[in-house]
Amino acid sequence: APGVAYSTVPPWNAGQERNLGTSMASPHAAGLAALLVSALIQEGSPYTAERIKRALTVTARPVPGSSIIDDGAGVPEASQAYRWLQQAGEVVEVEVEAVRDGVPSGQAAFRPHGLESSADTIQLFRVTPGTLVPPGALTLESDVAWLEAPSTVKLADSSVMIPLVYRRDQLRTPGIYTGVVAGWGGKRLDGPLLRLVNTIVVPYAAGESVRVGPSTMAAGGLHRVFFGTEQDRPFSVTIRTPESGPVVLTSLHEPGGQPYRGGNGLAGGPGSEAASYAVNVGDVVPGVYEIDVISPPMASARAVVDVSHAPVRFDVFRDARGARTKLANAVGGPVTGTVTTSIVGAQRELVVEGRGSDVQWVLFHVPAWAKDIEVDVEMKPDEWPKFTDFGVTLFDSIGRIITLAPLNYARERLRASFVEDDGEQAVKLGLFPGFAEPGSDAAWSLRVKIRLYADRGEVANHANRPAPYALEPGETKELVSRVDLVPSMAPSVGFLPLYRAEVEAGGRTWIGETAAADPPTIERDD
C-alpha cells in the first residue's frame, strides 16, 4: 500500500506530520478494509475479518521479483476484492504455527544464521483449523526447489503437524532464501487455505571481509547482503555505484533487525560519494548484520558492497595507571600499527525508573566546551511490547527542542550539535511513555547514556603521541597511556571523562571509547 501519509503527531514529534514507511501504509490498508466492509453493510451481506483479509490477499496483484516477505500478497485491488467477496463461499480459518525443537516460534519459520548442522533440515508446522474443517485433503505446493513438502495433508478437528524438508545442498551460497508451501482446497478461486512461510539467511562467516557485486537491481529493486560480526572487532561497510549509474539508497541493520544506531539511510554513489558505515567497538553487536541496497523507483542500478573487519579485536579500559587498550590479533598474519589515546569529552550513565505514563526528566549541565551530544536510551527488549509509543526529546534551557526521536526499537540514539554561541547551559532529557493498555500503572526502566564531545581540534592538541604495537598471530597485548584531563574540558557534575583509543591497523583507524569509572547503579529524576 502507499508508504507516504500525513498524520497528527504527539507534541514531542512536531514537524514530522509527513512521514513514510509501513506505519504510513497501514492506515491505507485499514481504509481499504473499511471500504469493503461499508459496501457489504450497505448490501446487507455478512462479513468477517477473515473474509475481508482473504479477499484482499487472494486478489492482490503480485510484485514481480519480490518475495512474500517483502511484499506479502502484492498490491491490493479494491474492485477485484469486492467481486471476490460477492462470489466466494464460506472461508475456512486455519491457524499456522512454526515449531522447532518442540518450541513454537511464530507464524513463519526463520533461520537467521542458516542451517546449524547437516542434520538440521526438518522444519515442522502445526496447523489447526478454526470454526470449520475443510472437506477432503489439501494439496501442498512449494514455490522453490530447496523446500519440499508432503503432496497432501488431511486436516482434522485437532492440530496436524506438517514436516517440511530443507535441501541443504541448495542453501550454501550466502544470501536470503524465502520459500512458501501453499495448501489448496478444491476451489482455486478461494485461494490457498494456508501458507507455510520459510526464510533462511546464509551469512558470510563472522569476521570475513567480503566484496559482493557489482549486483544489478531492477527499478525499485532490493539487494541484501548478510555477514557475521565478532565481539570487540569493529568493521566498516562501503556501498558504491559505477560512475555512469544512478545513486542507490542504502541501510545497515543490526542483529534482530534494528537500523544501525550510528545513522542510517545513506545515499550511495560513485567514488568519494559512496555510502560508508564505520561501526566502532562500542557499537558492535555480535551476530548477523544486514545491508540493504535499493535502486531508484524509475531506474535500474548496479552497486558493489565491501565489508572490512579490523585485523585486531580491542577494548578500552581506565584504571589508576591510565587508559588501557587491550589488543588481540584477529587474523592469520602479523599486525602492526599505532594506538593514540585522548580525552574527547564526558559521559554520564544512569538508570531512570518510572511508573505508568508519567513523564520522567533527566536534568544535566552542558559546559561551554561541548560541541556535540549523543544520547543512548535502552530498554529491556521484553519490556518494549508494553508500549505503543515512547518519545525521547532533548530540550534546551528555555524549553526549545534540540532533537527528538521515538523508541521504534528497544533502544534509540539521539544526536545533535550545539551552535557556537550556546555557551554553558542547562539541558533536560524528557522521556514520554505511552502504554498500549490505557491507564497502565506498570513500572518501567531505561538505561540512559549521555556523551558530550569537545571540538576535534581541541582534543587533537592534547592527545598523547601514537604508541606503536606489533602482534603475531594469536598474540594479545595491553598498552597503557597516560592522558591528563584538560582543565578547560572539566566535566559537569555527574559526568566522567570520556577516553578514546584510535587504533591504526590495516591502513584504517578504528575507534573505542570508555568512561573513567563505573556509573551509578540507579537514579530517578522526578
Side-chain angles (χ1 to χ4, degrees):
V4 178
Y6 293 84
S7 175
T8 56
V9 296
W12 56 264
N13 206 21
Q16 299 297 314
E17 289 80 3
R18 178 183 179 275
N19 222 318
L20 55 89
T22 53
S23 295
M24 300 299 105
S26 296
H28 286 282
L32 181 53
L35 183 69
L36 296 174
V37 169
S38 176
L40 295 176
I41 288 175
Q42 291 181 59
E43 295 175 356
S45 300
Y47 67 90
T48 64
E50 186 62 30
R51 280 182 62 83
I52 299 296
K53 175 182 176 182
R54 183 70 60 84
L56 290 170
T57 55
V58 168
T59 62
R61 175 166 41 89
V63 179
S66 296
S67 74
I68 192 172
I69 296 298
D70 292 313
D71 291 292
V75 179
E77 299 278 2
S79 58
Q80 297 285 359
Y82 177 58
R83 282 195 288 271
W84 186 92
L85 285 167
Q86 293 178 313
Q87 299 172 20
E90 200 159 12
V91 173
V92 176
E93 297 181 24
V94 178
E95 180 181 325
V96 171
E97 192 172 45
V99 178
R100 190 176 180 201
D101 297 328
V103 179
S105 58
Q107 295 179 331
F110 180 48
R111 307 284 184 91
H113 307 102
L115 302 184
E116 296 180 358
S117 68
S118 58
D120 183 23
T121 58
I122 304 297
Q123 174 65 53
L124 299 177
F125 279 86
R126 180 184 291 117
V127 178
T128 307
T131 55
L132 297 173
V133 178
L138 300 185
T139 301
L140 299 182
E141 298 176 359
S142 172
D143 64 350
V144 290
W146 58 264
L147 178 61
E148 298 177 348
S151 58
T152 61
V153 63
K154 173 74 172 170
L155 299 187
D157 293 329
S158 57
S159 300
V160 172
M161 202 71 80
I162 301 177
L164 305 185
V165 178
Y166 297 154
R167 291 284 304 276
R168 187 179 180 84
D169 59 314
Q170 298 184 33
L171 298 169
R172 299 190 186 280
T173 303
I176 184 170
Y177 299 82
T178 297
V180 180
V181 171
W184 298 85
K187 294 175 61 178
R188 288 273 165 166
L189 173 65
D190 291 343
L193 271 65
L194 58 86
R195 288 185 175 94
L196 311 180
V197 182
N198 303 260
T199 298
I200 299 175
V201 171
V202 180
Y204 287 93
E208 176 185 359
S209 294
V210 297
R211 167 167 288 189
V212 181
S215 303
T216 301
M217 294 149 288
L222 168 66
H223 178 63
R224 291 183 169 100
V225 177
F226 298 86
F227 62 96
T229 58
E230 297 178 322
Q231 182 76 42
D232 297 334
R233 189 176 181 186
F235 65 90
S236 67
V237 176
T238 303
I239 303 103
R240 58 173 51 86
T241 62
E243 290 288 342
S244 57
V247 170
V248 296
L249 178 65
T250 72
S251 59
L252 177 66
H253 296 264
E254 298 177 357
Q258 173 170 336
Y260 167 50
R261 66 192 73 182
N264 218 330
L266 302 181
S272 61
E273 298 177 7
S276 181
Y277 300 90
V279 181
N280 298 316
V281 166
D283 287 343
V284 174
V285 180
V288 175
Y289 279 73
E290 174 183 343
I291 305 164
D292 292 344
V293 185
I294 306 170
S295 63
M298 304 303 290
S300 62
R302 303 174 74 222
V304 175
V305 176
D306 282 297
V307 180
S308 300
H309 299 264
V312 294
R313 284 187 290 273
F314 69 95
D315 205 352
V316 189
F317 305 90
R318 169 67 168 81
D319 62 14
R321 295 182 296 163
R324 297 187 291 129
T325 305
K326 187 176 182 180
L327 299 157
N329 189 320
V331 294
V335 179
T336 59
T338 60
V339 178
T340 304
T341 310
S342 56
I343 295 177
V344 295
Q347 175 175 294
R348 180 184 179 189
E349 189 171 352
L350 64 151
V351 173
V352 179
E353 294 183 330
R355 182 172 289 279
S357 295
D358 291 342
V359 178
Q360 297 295 321
W361 300 96
V362 178
L363 312 177
F364 58 97
H365 230 66
V366 174
W369 56 259
K371 304 304 178 186
D372 299 287
I373 184 171
E374 283 187 357
V375 180
D376 282 340
V377 179
E378 185 169 358
M379 178 183 292
K380 292 180 180 179
D382 58 353
E383 283 194 13
W384 170 233
K386 300 176 184 176
F387 301 88
T388 56
D389 201 1
F390 206 116
V392 184
T393 308
L394 270 176
F395 297 89
D396 66 11
S397 56
I398 61 174
R400 294 174 302 186
I401 294 176
I402 299 173
T403 187
L404 51 81
L407 244 69
N408 284 328
Y409 291 79
R411 55 178 176 265
E412 184 60 57
R413 172 173 293 172
L414 278 69
R415 281 177 161 174
S417 297
F418 300 107
V419 297
E420 293 296 327
D421 59 353
D422 275 348
E424 185 173 333
Q425 62 176 311
V427 173
K428 60 181 180 179
L429 174 69
L431 304 172
F432 299 82
F435 276 89
E437 291 293 334
S440 174
D441 193 39
W444 55 268
S445 66
L446 289 174
R447 177 165 288 276
V448 178
K449 188 180 292 186
I450 304 168
R451 290 182 295 275
L452 302 174
Y453 290 97
D455 180 79
R456 293 182 181 180
E458 177 76 8
V459 172
N461 289 336
H462 300 282
N464 71 341
R465 293 182 179 180
Y469 71 88
L471 295 170
E472 294 300 319
E475 186 179 6
T476 298
K477 272 185 182 175
E478 193 173 288
L479 301 182
V480 180
S481 304
R482 282 290 303 172
V483 185
D484 295 324
L485 180 65
V486 181
S488 61
M489 285 177 55
S492 301
V493 174
F495 283 78
L496 300 167
L498 182 62
Y499 289 79
R500 173 180 292 174
E502 299 183 11
V503 178
E504 189 280 320
R508 295 186 59 114
T509 299
W510 311 91
I511 294 174
E513 294 179 347
T514 187
D518 293 333
T521 304
I522 296 290
E523 183 169 339
R524 177 176 175 175
D525 289 278
D526 293 320

